[in-house]
Amino acid sequence: SSGINAEYGDQWKRLTDTICRASQSLSQRPNFYKNFIRTLHYHLKETPSDFFVDIVSRNNFLVTTLKLLFEGLREEEGVVEELRNRGEKFRTHLEKFYSWDFSYCEEDDPVIVET
């Protein structure tokens, strides 16, 4: 059964990552994202926090992924205020409860390599 759990976990991670990266959809599908945030909130309550840490790199995949969602909520045009507020409350909760850091830093910027 651990194979099933691992497969489910990988699929869940890919789906969550895809949803969080689709920032252009935030303004087009606000109800979907409101429900996504609510569902994710309840999933997190039921999931051991080490589930989100990549054993090899020790990176928390969810912090990296949710940072994209929170940036999209903050920066995308046309996002309804109710969704922005829900995202901000969720971010604040995660920072307090898990001590996760979603703050922006220049290291997150893409690096441009000139050839």
Side-chain angles (χ1 to χ4, degrees):
S1 81
S2 65
I4 293 172
N5 289 338
E7 186 177 324
Y8 163 77
D10 288 343
Q11 186 175 12
W12 183 87
K13 286 179 180 181
R14 283 192 303 272
L15 184 59
T16 300
D17 185 66
T18 300
I19 292 168
C20 289
R21 287 180 183 278
S23 58
Q24 69 279 6
S25 296
L26 290 165
S27 60
Q28 299 166 0
R29 305 203 185 307
N31 289 331
F32 172 83
Y33 278 93
K34 285 187 269 186
N35 289 327
F36 172 72
I37 290 170
R38 181 183 314 119
T39 302
L40 193 54
H41 174 78
Y42 289 110
H43 276 204
L44 291 176
K45 285 184 171 187
E46 302 296 323
T47 307
S49 59
D50 64 348
F51 172 81
F52 307 113
V53 177
D54 181 317
I55 303 296
V56 177
S57 66
R58 303 300 299 161
N59 286 335
N60 184 320
F61 124 87
L62 203 53
V63 170
T64 304
T65 300
L66 286 175
K67 187 182 278 193
L68 296 171
L69 175 66
F70 297 140
E71 286 174 4
L73 287 169
R74 188 175 57 248
E75 297 172 6
E76 282 292 314
E77 292 184 26
V79 176
V80 295
E81 196 63 29
E82 181 185 356
L83 178 54
R84 281 190 208 275
N85 291 340
R86 182 169 293 179
E88 183 61 25
K89 286 179 184 175
F90 186 48
R91 184 186 64 77
T92 301
H93 165 75
L94 295 174
E95 288 179 337
K96 287 181 183 175
F97 191 79
Y98 292 103
S99 300
W100 290 348
D101 180 12
F102 297 103
S103 59
Y104 171 82
C105 67
E106 288 184 21
E107 292 175 12
D108 296 333
D109 287 344
V111 176
I112 298 171
V113 178
E114 296 194 21
T115 56

